[in-house]
Amino acid sequence: MSTASTPGSSIPLAAGVSLRESDLRFHFARSGGPGGQNVNKVNTKAELRVHPGALAGLSGPARHRLVTAQAHRMTGHGEILIVSETERSQAANREACLDKLRAFVQAALTEPKARRMTRPTMGSRERRLESKKARSRIKALRRGLDD
């Protein structure tokens, strides 16, 4: 999916969630690691900064799940920092950053399943009690006989 469009346009991230292109802050730098002459002269590493409040169509609980799940990526200014330097071109790394953002938003949209309390089965209770009795027997044998 190409993101090259007019500056005021909206980028779809997930079902019902979009982001204005003007809210994307990209910064490009030189990638590290091997790569020969190209890595030393071309700024291919892409860094994307997005403020979670700029995501249109994201509910409050979903926004909270996004922020807590990506807490290690949050900057001091409250932005999510996404970095990509795996591709050889700046455009491909830019698209990889957007793909990561889409994946994060999609994951935040799925509500966690509510935990329902269950009772332990009779077999599991019996196994637990039997292991406690066995442990008790072992400790009783260690004590020895009282003289």
Side-chain angles (χ1 to χ4, degrees):
M1 177 195 294
S2 176
T3 57
S5 53
T6 59
S9 69
S10 176
I11 299 171
L13 298 175
V17 181
S18 62
L19 180 67
R20 288 192 320 256
E21 198 162 330
S22 59
D23 291 327
L24 295 174
R25 287 189 36 225
F26 276 103
H27 174 70
F28 300 100
R30 292 195 178 107
S31 293
Q37 296 173 357
N38 195 51
V39 79
N40 296 327
K41 62 185 178 183
V42 181
N43 291 335
T44 56
K45 177 170 125 179
E47 294 179 356
L48 170 62
R49 294 171 190 267
V50 177
H51 199 280
L55 298 168
L58 198 62
S59 67
R63 191 178 319 275
H64 184 274
R65 283 192 297 271
L66 175 67
V67 170
T68 53
Q70 303 305 321
H72 64 285
R73 295 179 188 271
M74 298 298 282
T75 66
H77 299 291
E79 298 172 320
I80 299 173
L81 175 65
I82 302 170
V83 178
S84 177
E85 57 180 331
T86 57
E87 308 298 327
R88 289 177 56 96
S89 71
Q90 193 179 89
N93 279 326
R94 182 182 192 277
E95 195 61 38
C97 284
L98 289 172
D99 289 342
K100 286 181 186 180
L101 178 62
R102 286 185 187 100
F104 298 155
V105 169
Q106 189 63 44
L109 286 175
T110 57
E111 289 191 35
K113 191 174 178 182
R115 166 78 164 89
R116 292 173 60 182
M117 295 278 292
T118 58
R119 290 176 52 198
T121 63
M122 183 180 283
S124 68
R125 282 195 302 256
E126 288 173 359
R127 284 189 298 273
R128 185 179 127 269
L129 291 175
E130 195 55 45
S131 70
K132 286 169 70 97
K133 285 178 191 172
R135 196 81 197 138
S136 175
R137 276 187 238 117
I138 290 170
K139 290 186 175 188
L141 289 173
R142 281 189 203 146
R143 276 186 248 133
L145 299 172
D146 287 333
D147 291 316

